[in-house]
Amino acid sequence: MSVLVYIEQAEGKIKKTSLEAVSFASALAAKTGEGDVIAVALGSVDQAELASVGKAGATKLLHASDSRLDAGVIQAHATAVAQAFEKTGSKTVVLAKSSLGDAVAARLAIKVNAGLVSNVVELPNTDSGYIVKRSIYTGKAFAETSLTTENKILAIKKNAIDLKTDGADAAVESLEVNIPDSDFGSKITATERATGEVLLPEADIVVSGGRGMKGPENWGMIEDLAKTLGAATGCSKPVSDIGWRPHHEHVGQTGVKVAPSLYVAIGISGAIQHLAGVNSSKCIVVINKDPEAPFFKAADYGIVGDAFEVVPKLNEALKAE
Ligand code: FAD
């Protein structure tokens, strides 16, 4: 028995969300007695990265190194994971909830006849049955789903699980897969773009600016603060609509949904459509000159003040730490 984990990678590096999935699988295997946690990585992945999944709790990593599997070939990935599933005799697949994760999970569910629950936030309750808690309505509520199928797929919401880092390196084995050419017929090209060093959807810290920043020429202070914190930068929708910032930074219901440990909102009013993209953040800090700004109701910490005074001072104080 084993729990299989589908690993996502970008440019050879394993995504943090996949390591969270491994951590989840490790705790799940310990709870259900499913034994080994076997990670499956596809395409060209840095060798040093491969063994590192062990730190998050994987006992073994199966690697299909065919470079055609590098990115975006969803059908081929689903076929490869299904073949690993059959080979290992697993009953459960865990993966990160993401655009790619969802697309692969849906196809995999058909191939291996599995029940699928997405946006999972904690280990299933197995006291009576198999009850999975998942986040719904953009993080505003939870639903409990009973999984009754023998084979199960769980897609884990990002930042919902503490990352395990104290495991030993995993044994790496090559995975032979037999994927028909037709599975490579369509390919999704990557749309996630990094601002600076950090990918917005994956970022652990996000510094976002709104219309209160007055214009694109003032974004230097957002970028400076982001650099100090090792954060990605985001923005409200009007800011990207006006062209102050690129569209891929637009956070909210109609933009990128983030779930960082820390979300810093500067000069953003906190409209419900913006909150829909950030309300899974672990800690929200709001800087706004209007004490009645709705964002303060969702904030863990708030600073009422002019961003043009507060942000440079905050940045200096953080740099001095
Ligand atoms: P504003 O509402 O103009 O707020 C600016 C804020 O800055 C104010 O609170 C003000 O007090 C503050 N401020 C001004 N000057 C300063 C200063 N010097 N220092 C500090 N604070 C200052 N919006 C999104 O963001 N994401 C979405 O995904 C999204 N989807 C939408 C979907 C639909 C269907 C619709 C109808 C709207 C959507 N919107 C979305 C728009 C949303 O309703 C708001 O209009 C938008 O979020 C407001 O952006 P803002 O807070 O930057 O601007």
Side-chain angles (χ1 to χ4, degrees), residues 9-319:
Q9 54 115 339
E11 292 168 3
K13 302 272 180 247
I14 291 173
K15 291 194 172 183
K16 178 178 168 250
T17 46
S18 288
L19 295 176
E20 289 173 2
V22 173
S23 303
F24 180 97
S26 168
L28 179 68
K31 180 173 180 162
T32 59
E34 280 173 282
D36 285 343
V37 173
I38 303 177
V40 180
L42 306 171
S44 318
V45 184
D46 291 354
Q47 284 304 308
E49 290 274 308
L50 291 174
S52 74
V53 295
K55 296 200 167 48
T59 34
K60 193 195 286 186
L61 179 129
L62 300 177
H63 183 210
S65 59
D66 184 343
S67 62
R68 292 181 305 160
L69 291 164
D70 277 359
V73 279
I74 295 162
Q75 194 65 38
H77 276 212
T79 301
V81 180
Q83 290 178 9
F85 189 80
E86 302 298 341
K87 269 185 195 162
T88 55
S90 303
K91 299 287 175 216
T92 310
V93 179
V94 174
L95 41 73
K97 181 190 164 43
S98 65
S99 310
L100 178 62
D102 279 346
V104 169
R107 288 160 176 80
L108 183 63
I110 302 290
K111 285 177 186 289
V112 302
N113 197 21
L116 160 63
V117 183
S118 187
N119 241 357
V120 175
V121 292
E122 62 183 37
L123 289 177
N125 180 348
T126 52
D127 291 343
S128 81
Y130 199 100
I131 311 294
V132 188
K133 188 171 174 182
R134 67 194 173 94
S135 170
I136 57 170
Y137 298 131
T138 62
K140 280 200 159 19
F142 297 106
E144 290 190 333
T145 303
S146 174
L147 258 186
T148 54
T149 50
E150 188 184 13
N151 294 341
K152 300 173 178 65
I153 302 176
L154 305 175
I156 314 303
K157 183 178 161 86
K158 69 183 160 196
N159 266 343
I161 304 298
D162 287 336
L163 194 59
K164 180 177 155 67
T165 54
D166 59 355
D169 278 359
V172 178
E173 288 177 16
S174 75
L175 172 68
E176 299 302 323
V177 285
N178 182 11
I179 302 174
D181 286 346
S182 57
D183 277 9
F184 293 97
S186 62
K187 179 173 177 172
I188 291 182
T189 48
T191 54
E192 289 176 353
R193 271 175 258 174
T195 303
E197 297 295 308
V198 191
L199 277 173
L200 178 59
E202 293 245 319
D204 197 42
I205 303 178
V206 176
V207 178
S208 248
R211 216 149 37 177
M213 292 307 298
K214 315 288 188 223
E217 66 280 6
N218 298 321
W219 236 262
M221 78 173 83
I222 301 277
E223 286 168 341
D224 286 349
L225 182 59
K227 193 168 175 205
T228 305
L229 290 169
T233 54
C235 67
S236 65
K237 181 174 185 294
V239 162
S240 62
D241 285 349
I242 317 163
W244 293 358
R245 298 298 292 175
H247 278 289
H248 65 82
E249 285 195 12
H250 151 201
V251 170
Q253 180 188 323
T254 49
V256 180
K257 290 174 189 61
V258 295
S261 301
L262 174 64
Y263 187 78
V264 185
I266 303 169
I268 304 178
S269 56
I272 191 163
Q273 297 90 353
H274 188 84
L275 294 179
V278 307
N279 55 18
S280 295
S281 307
K282 287 197 178 136
C283 178
I284 295 178
V285 174
V286 170
I287 302 170
N288 196 304
K289 69 175 185 182
D290 176 6
E292 301 298 322
F295 222 145
F296 283 121
K297 290 202 179 79
D300 296 283
Y301 300 94
I303 302 173
V304 179
D306 186 335
F308 295 86
E309 291 172 20
V310 174
V311 175
K313 281 187 189 158
L314 180 63
N315 195 19
E316 284 313 311
L318 286 167
K319 275 195 207 156

